[in-house]
Amino acid sequence: MTARVLIAKPGLDGHDRGAKVVARALRDAGFEVIYTGIRQTPAEVASVAVQEDVDVIGLSILSGAHMALARKVMEELRARGALDIPVVLGGTIPSADVPRLTELGVTQVFTTGSDLTSLVAAMRELIDGRQSTP
């Protein structure tokens, strides 16, 4: 079974180069990638994740609104009974915010400049863990 990853750009941030680089790296590593494009609402992100039955959600946020957007995405996933889908977040994220994001339910945070090889490996681990859980 091919692992399915949703890459989403919630909020008003229009900078999507990093998200596209990550999407391509994941695709080249054998993942099936669903890219939602820019300016998605948290409700749209959660809806697509459930409809597409993804294994992981990757949020790309460069706007500084990562705390509010992550909270809203997690609320939308909760409302759909989909909190079992791991959420990773990448972008311009101050290290001081990482513990608070984890408390919200974000599984892992990748800051700008993260190594793509490490990111791909982390995604494989998340998916392997999710697929082996009954």
Side-chain angles (χ1 to χ4, degrees), residues 112-127:
T112 52
S114 291
D115 175 74
L116 289 174
T117 303
S118 299
L119 183 140
V120 169
M123 296 296 265
R124 284 193 201 285
E125 285 180 32
L126 282 173
I127 290 167

Side-chain angles (χ1 to χ4, degrees), residues 19-31 33 116-117 119-120:
K20 288 179 177 177
V21 167
V22 168
R24 183 165 193 153
L26 292 170
R27 187 202 67 195
D28 290 351
F31 294 87
V33 178
L116 289 174
T117 303
L119 183 140
V120 169

Side-chain angles (χ1 to χ4, degrees), residues 10-11 40-47 68-69 72-73 76 80:
Q40 299 296 301
T41 68
E44 289 168 332
V45 172
S47 180
L69 289 169
K72 289 178 183 175
V73 168
E76 293 291 342
R80 289 165 176 75

Side-chain angles (χ1 to χ4, degrees), residues 40-80:
Q40 299 296 301
T41 68
E44 289 168 332
V45 172
S47 180
V48 170
V50 170
Q51 288 173 7
E52 294 290 338
D53 192 27
V54 299
D55 296 295
V56 176
I57 300 168
L59 303 176
S60 172
I61 304 172
L62 299 170
S63 65
H66 50 277
M67 294 303 298
L69 289 169
R71 181 178 298 109
K72 289 178 183 175
V73 168
M74 298 310 292
E75 288 170 1
E76 293 291 342
L77 289 171
R78 183 177 299 107
R80 289 165 176 75

